[in-house]
Amino acid sequence: MPLRKRGERNRRAPGGRWICVANTKERTEDTCPLVYQCRLPLSTRTVNHLADLLRRHLKAIRSRWRILLPGKIAVIVLAVLRHDQRLADMAGGNDVSESTVRRWRDELIGLLAVQAPRLDGALKQVVRQGLPRESPCTGSSSTT
């Protein structure tokens, strides 16, 4: 399509006006991505625990790399789970896709679930230790 001079009408455009759409990935002048921060009450122990779980898992599956470090991934997942951040918001602020954050979330939940004791095993341990059990119906405690 030949270029038109300024003020010349485009007969194919609605109303004969010139329509120009720039298709570029560069930002316009004086704009920047909006990022906000929030305070997330997390202990260092919690973040380190999740990061260590992820490191061990990555080593076990022989994963070569991740786009972010395990500690940063742990903080992102905890923000999604604890602070109810949207996946798209956390993804955009960390230059990863929404599906990547979803995969990290599901992966860390799975790693934590593997560590959790099964209910029957936990109840047997309670009985063995002779700790009082609460009756689900009455709420009263009794020892067996």
Side-chain angles (χ1 to χ4, degrees):
M1 182 178 191
L3 294 174
R4 289 174 172 51
K5 294 180 181 175
R6 187 177 180 102
E8 186 178 347
R9 296 216 175 250
N10 182 356
R11 293 190 178 108
R12 291 185 220 158
R17 294 197 177 120
W18 179 257
I19 298 174
C20 179
V21 177
N23 196 6
T24 180
K25 294 186 187 274
E26 295 177 14
R27 293 188 195 123
T28 58
E29 292 179 22
D30 299 328
T31 62
C32 64
L34 179 64
V35 177
Y36 76 96
Q37 294 179 349
C38 66
R39 187 175 179 103
L40 190 61
L42 293 173
S43 69
T44 305
R45 184 176 176 203
T46 303
V47 175
N48 288 339
H49 177 68
L50 273 181
D52 289 341
L53 269 177
L54 186 57
R55 278 187 203 97
R56 285 194 301 265
H57 174 68
L58 294 176
K59 192 172 186 177
I61 64 171
R62 297 183 181 180
S63 177
R64 293 180 65 172
W65 61 277
R66 293 283 169 109
I67 196 163
L68 295 176
L69 296 174
K72 182 79 170 174
I73 292 172
V75 170
I76 291 169
V77 169
L78 287 169
V80 169
L81 294 175
R82 181 123 187 237
H83 196 62
D84 200 25
Q85 287 290 328
R86 291 183 342 157
L87 296 175
D89 293 340
M90 293 306 295
N94 293 288
D95 293 328
V96 294
S97 69
E98 182 179 352
S99 62
T100 300
V101 175
R102 181 179 295 110
R103 182 173 40 85
W104 289 343
R105 181 200 61 195
D106 295 345
E107 188 174 36
L108 280 174
I109 287 174
L111 291 172
L112 287 170
V114 168
Q115 283 193 324
R118 290 184 39 184
L119 181 60
D120 58 346
L123 290 176
K124 286 178 187 176
Q125 183 178 3
V126 166
V127 170
R128 261 186 275 127
Q129 292 176 352
L131 298 175
R133 291 188 310 185
E134 289 209 14
S135 173
C137 298
T138 62
S140 63
S141 63
S142 63
T143 56
T144 55

